[in-house]
């Protein structure tokens, strides 16, 4: 079993829909990253969080440390949100050299 | 604008040849990383560097080599000893590697290497 599991693997939705992508992990962590990989391959860091909730524009990330679970929400989704969303966890007592990455959720927003 | 530049975007090589992938950053970050991405797998760490003239092996360092002679540059050489070199390679940087740093990762746009 992978230490970081994302669901769903693929998600197709209509423009305007509310999107939720989930990340579950099985190890102790000090932080969790949400990343966005564009169709061309480049990756952008969306959030780094260790507790609670963060919001940036239409994106919201939450984490529940006790349940070992994080969610990424996109409100009022738009075709430009189409990308692969990757969750990565930073292991407890380690720095960025001990990141474990999920395999990603491919999101497609249809106009 | 500050960022990370990887070049080239696509690279083709014959089996048995060494090839070097370029990664340059102007973010003044101490830490730099090389990751490999294969279909259906999460990113895997090849090498990382915490500071100039220092680098450490990651989880899949065999068949790769790096150097960190300048803060801005962290080239990766894929040697002929790497059994399955065809992959997408991503370079990243952060202000620091360390736990106490609020140090998100910044990524380049990647280099897709094909070896035939």
């Amino acid at each position: 079993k992978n230490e970081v599991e994302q669901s769903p693997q693929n998600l197709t939705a209509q423009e305007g829909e509310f999107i939720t992508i989930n990340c579950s992990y099985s190890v102790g962590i000090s932080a969790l990253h949400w990343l966005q990989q564009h169709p061309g391959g480049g990756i952008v860091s969306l959030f780094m969080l260790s507790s609670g909730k963060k919001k940036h524009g239409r994106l919201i990330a939450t984490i529940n440390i006790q349940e070992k679970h994080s969610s990424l929400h996109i409100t009022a989704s738009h075709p430009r949100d189409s990308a692969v969303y990757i969750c990565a966890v930073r292991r407890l007592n380690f720095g960025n050299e001990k990141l474990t990455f999920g395999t990603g959720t491919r999101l497609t927003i249809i106009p | 604008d500050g960022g990370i530049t990887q070049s080239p975007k696509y690279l083709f090589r014959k089996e048995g040849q060494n090839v070097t992938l370029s990664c340059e950053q102007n973010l003044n970050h101490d830490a730099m990383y090389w990751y490999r991405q294969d279909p259906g797998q999460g990113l895997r760490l090849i090498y990382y560097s915490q500071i100039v003239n220092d680098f450490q092996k990651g989880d899949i360092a065999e068949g790769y080599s790096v150097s960190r002679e300048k803060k801005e540059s962290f080239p990766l050489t894929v040697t002929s000893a790497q059994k399955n070199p065809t992959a997408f390679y991503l370079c990243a940087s952060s202000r620091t590697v360390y736990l106490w740093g609020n140090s998100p990762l910044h990524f380049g746009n990647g280099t897709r290497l094909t070896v035939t």
Side-chain angles (χ1 to χ4, degrees):
Chain A
K1 191 177 187 297
N2 292 334
E3 292 176 343
V4 179
E5 298 273 0
Q6 289 186 235
S7 63
Q9 282 189 301
N10 295 283
L11 178 57
T12 300
Q14 292 290 133
E15 183 174 355
E17 285 190 39
F18 181 82
I19 303 298
T20 296
I21 296 170
N22 297 298
C23 175
S24 296
Y25 53 91
S26 57
V27 295
I29 70 168
S30 58
L32 182 144
H33 298 257
W34 278 106
L35 310 168
Q36 180 191 52
Q37 185 166 30
H38 296 295
I43 291 179
V44 173
S45 180
L46 299 175
F47 295 103
M48 188 173 94
L49 63 166
S50 54
S51 65
K53 178 178 171 177
K54 286 191 176 180
K55 184 175 189 293
H56 186 256
R58 295 180 295 106
L59 302 177
I60 303 165
T62 64
I63 189 168
N64 185 319
I65 295 292
Q66 287 73 27
E67 293 187 5
K68 291 187 163 60
H69 182 268
S70 176
S71 292
L72 177 69
H73 305 286
I74 305 174
T75 61
S77 59
H78 190 276
R80 65 175 174 267
D81 297 325
S82 297
V84 175
Y85 292 84
I86 299 170
C87 165
V89 301
R90 190 171 73 184
R91 290 202 178 222
L92 199 59
N93 299 322
F94 288 95
N96 283 335
E97 81 282 12
K98 288 291 184 187
L99 293 179
T100 302
F101 293 80
T103 55
T105 293
R106 184 175 298 277
L107 174 66
T108 304
I109 303 297
I110 300 170
Chain B
D1 278 345
I4 297 182
T5 301
Q6 289 188 243
S7 60
K9 188 163 179 61
Y10 298 96
L11 197 48
F12 298 88
R13 280 293 182 269
K14 293 289 187 188
E15 198 173 309
Q17 291 179 333
N18 291 354
V19 59
T20 297
L21 282 59
S22 168
C23 177
E24 304 277 330
Q25 55 102 356
N26 61 5
L27 298 164
N28 199 34
H29 284 170
D30 284 324
M32 297 187 75
Y33 315 80
W34 274 105
Y35 292 96
R36 171 180 172 137
Q37 187 177 38
D38 294 284
Q41 296 191 41
L43 275 68
R44 291 181 291 167
L45 181 65
I46 304 172
Y47 268 97
Y48 69 99
S49 168
Q50 299 181 62
I51 201 163
V52 175
N53 293 322
D54 172 79
F55 49 83
Q56 307 293 329
K57 291 182 179 180
D59 300 317
I60 55 165
E62 187 175 345
Y64 299 97
S65 66
V66 293
S67 63
R68 186 88 186 275
E69 296 175 4
K70 298 187 298 182
K71 188 174 188 177
E72 303 79 21
S73 179
F74 191 41
L76 173 74
T77 297
V78 184
T79 76
S80 56
Q82 168 48 232
K83 296 283 186 285
N84 297 295
T86 294
F88 188 61
Y89 291 88
L90 283 152
C91 178
S93 72
S94 64
R95 190 171 56 80
T96 177
V97 169
Y98 300 113
L99 171 66
W100 45 263
N102 178 15
S103 198
L105 292 171
H106 295 252
F107 285 86
N109 286 326
T111 292
R112 189 166 300 280
L113 173 65
T114 303
V115 176
T116 56

